[in-house]
Amino acid sequence: MTPIPVILDCDPGHDDAFALLLAAAHPAVDLLAITTVAGNAPVGKTALNARRVCTVAGIGGVPVAAGLARPLHGAGITAPEIHGASGLDGPGFGEPAVPLDPRDAITLIRETLLGHPGPVTLVPTGPLSNIAAFLLAHPELAAERVDRIVLMGGSTGRGNRTPAAEFNIAADPEAADIVFSSGLDVTMIGLNVSHQVPASAEVLTRLRALGTPLAEVCADLLTFYGAAYREVFGLAAPPLHDPLTVAHLVAPGLVSTVPAAVAVELTGTHTRGATVVDLDGVTGRPANARVGTGVDAAAFWDLIVDAVRTLGARGPLTG
Ligand code: BDR
Ligand code: CA
């Protein structure tokens, strides 16, 4: 089977790091480019973190470019209480051996689409600022060359940044609105799914048992992330949101989805950034997305552990 060509647009971020690892390791994905956006940390840090993850995981030859430093409107938000000041606290990282691509993220997305013979899948795991800016700048190219968008964001129920809004959508609601209104094939995997994949103590044990430096880094990442989730949300184990996107691509059916109309709340007094998902069809609006509802958690964790095993066996990049 031909691997699925993917551009990962992320804000690493502990869970973004695992999305990157899965996309790079799985034979069903051809990871063409990595773009980063302001989100969990400022964009300079998310770009550095992507390069750090690529270095420690031996991912060479995939361009990494930085994108928007702020949302389309207003001021940005970050999440140091979950991801630390660096955006990727926990393990120690050396100097990255992977360079920062001189192009900005929008240019890299454009040139990657133009340079690839067939349609490409966009996988956003951060605020949707880069993706929306790309859609605004190059609508025809997007319609022609974007196969689908599989994003982590939103929720069919409660939020995490506010009681109503999930972080990625809350960080740039206007961008999310542009993506959901784009007419492209959009799949939304939100908190209602990701809270079904907590990184348990058993997962940590499986990772450490792999015995490679990469596995140790991954376990250290999850240890920091788990402590933050315990502190902030009182959860026993932290949901590993972002790699569900890649898992859904490589193992269709692993995440169950339903078609639904999704609206992004742009003006609510207490609900700005909420995804209003019409699961019951009560609005009469046509479906504009496939929305994740369930997940085979055991299969998901097997994919994650396999990815860390595969990359760990190859070893890190050296400068
Ligand atoms: C999302 O917000 C970020 O903090 C995570 O990386 C994930 O993309 C979860 O709400
Ligand atoms: Ca993220």
Side-chain angles (χ1 to χ4, degrees), residues 15-16 40 83 125 152 160 166-168 191 241-242:
D15 51 334
D16 300 82
N40 290 323
H83 299 277
T125 61
M152 192 283 141
N160 57 1
E166 181 278 330
F167 178 85
N168 289 339
L191 297 178
H241 317 277
D242 291 340

Side-chain angles (χ1 to χ4, degrees), residues 142-293:
E144 255 172 48
R145 298 292 181 105
V146 172
D147 186 27
R148 60 190 293 209
I149 299 177
V150 179
L151 66 90
M152 192 283 141
S155 173
T156 60
R158 55 193 294 186
N160 57 1
R161 178 66 187 193
T162 73
E166 181 278 330
F167 178 85
N168 289 339
I169 310 297
D172 196 340
E174 280 74 19
D177 182 47
I178 287 167
V179 170
F180 281 105
S181 310
S182 65
L184 296 171
D185 179 343
V186 175
T187 299
M188 165 186 138
I189 301 179
L191 297 178
N192 55 298
V193 182
S194 62
H195 278 249
Q196 298 175 44
V197 289
S200 62
E202 189 216 327
V203 169
L204 251 84
T205 306
R206 287 178 72 187
L207 287 173
R208 288 211 199 273
L210 295 175
T212 61
L214 176 63
E216 276 306 302
V217 167
C218 289
D220 289 351
L221 283 171
L222 290 182
T223 301
F224 180 93
Y225 186 61
Y229 257 90
R230 236 182 342 269
E231 172 77 22
V232 175
F233 292 108
L235 289 179
L240 201 68
H241 317 277
D242 291 340
L244 282 163
T245 51
V246 184
H248 181 57
L249 280 179
V250 303
L254 184 144
V255 174
S256 44
T257 61
V258 294
V262 178
V264 179
E265 178 59 271
L266 298 177
T267 57
T269 307
H270 303 291
T271 55
R272 179 168 152 80
T275 43
V276 181
V277 183
D278 185 10
L279 287 175
D280 298 317
V282 291
T283 62
R285 279 185 286 122
N288 58 345
R290 295 183 247 189
V291 175
T293 52

Side-chain angles (χ1 to χ4, degrees), residues 11-202:
D11 63 335
H14 295 68
D15 51 334
D16 300 82
F18 283 88
L20 206 172
L21 297 179
L22 183 54
H26 202 285
V29 171
D30 180 8
L31 182 58
L32 302 178
I34 299 163
T35 51
T36 79
V37 67
N40 290 323
V43 70
K45 290 186 179 179
T46 60
L48 174 62
N49 291 341
R51 294 163 58 215
R52 286 171 160 160
V53 173
C54 287
T55 301
V56 74
I59 303 164
V62 182
V64 178
L68 267 68
R70 52 189 59 83
L72 301 189
H73 297 284
I77 54 174
T78 54
E81 70 284 4
I82 299 294
H83 299 277
S86 73
L88 204 55
D89 275 15
F93 291 101
E95 269 303 298
V98 171
L100 180 65
D101 194 284
R103 292 168 285 185
D104 66 86
I106 313 307
T107 305
L108 178 57
I109 293 172
R110 176 178 168 274
E111 292 184 358
T112 304
L113 292 184
L114 286 171
H116 199 269
V120 171
T121 295
L122 304 183
V123 177
T125 61
L128 290 157
S129 321
N130 286 347
I131 303 298
F134 168 72
L135 297 180
L136 288 174
H138 306 291
E140 280 151 24
L141 181 65
E144 255 172 48
R145 298 292 181 105
V146 172
D147 186 27
R148 60 190 293 209
I149 299 177
V150 179
L151 66 90
M152 192 283 141
S155 173
T156 60
R158 55 193 294 186
N160 57 1
R161 178 66 187 193
T162 73
E166 181 278 330
F167 178 85
N168 289 339
I169 310 297
D172 196 340
E174 280 74 19
D177 182 47
I178 287 167
V179 170
F180 281 105
S181 310
S182 65
L184 296 171
D185 179 343
V186 175
T187 299
M188 165 186 138
I189 301 179
L191 297 178
N192 55 298
V193 182
S194 62
H195 278 249
Q196 298 175 44
V197 289
S200 62
E202 189 216 327

